[in-house]
Amino acid sequence: MNQLRIEVRVFSGLEKFLPNKSFGEPLPVELPEGGTIRDLLLKIGIPKDHVFTILVDGKHRSFDYTVRDGERISLFPPVGGG
């Protein structure tokens, strides 16, 4: 099975799940062909309930979105405040 190479960036506190990565710093990740955002989160160790917004090449996507080679994925937590 082929491996997909993607780039992941995390924001607004999600970087705490990725040691040695800071806010917005690109993280190269390989996933098996057919992998989803849900698979990606499992691989990089970010709990699904901590992710609210997923952008793939600037477009909103769901946890079931099937990732394609070369895509850039940005992950954001729920926005707090009040």
Side-chain angles (χ1 to χ4, degrees), residues 59-77:
K59 296 179 181 153
H60 287 272
R61 299 293 186 200
S62 72
F63 292 106
D64 295 322
Y65 175 79
T66 301
V67 178
R68 291 183 287 206
D69 193 49
E71 289 182 318
R72 290 182 176 171
I73 300 168
S74 300
L75 304 171
F76 300 87

Side-chain angles (χ1 to χ4, degrees), residues 14 16-19 27 29 38-48 50-51 75:
L14 291 178
K16 71 184 175 193
F17 294 104
L18 303 174
L27 170 68
V29 177
R38 193 180 313 274
D39 298 328
L40 168 66
L41 294 177
L42 281 170
K43 180 166 185 163
I44 63 177
I46 297 179
K48 180 179 170 278
H50 282 70
V51 177
L75 304 171

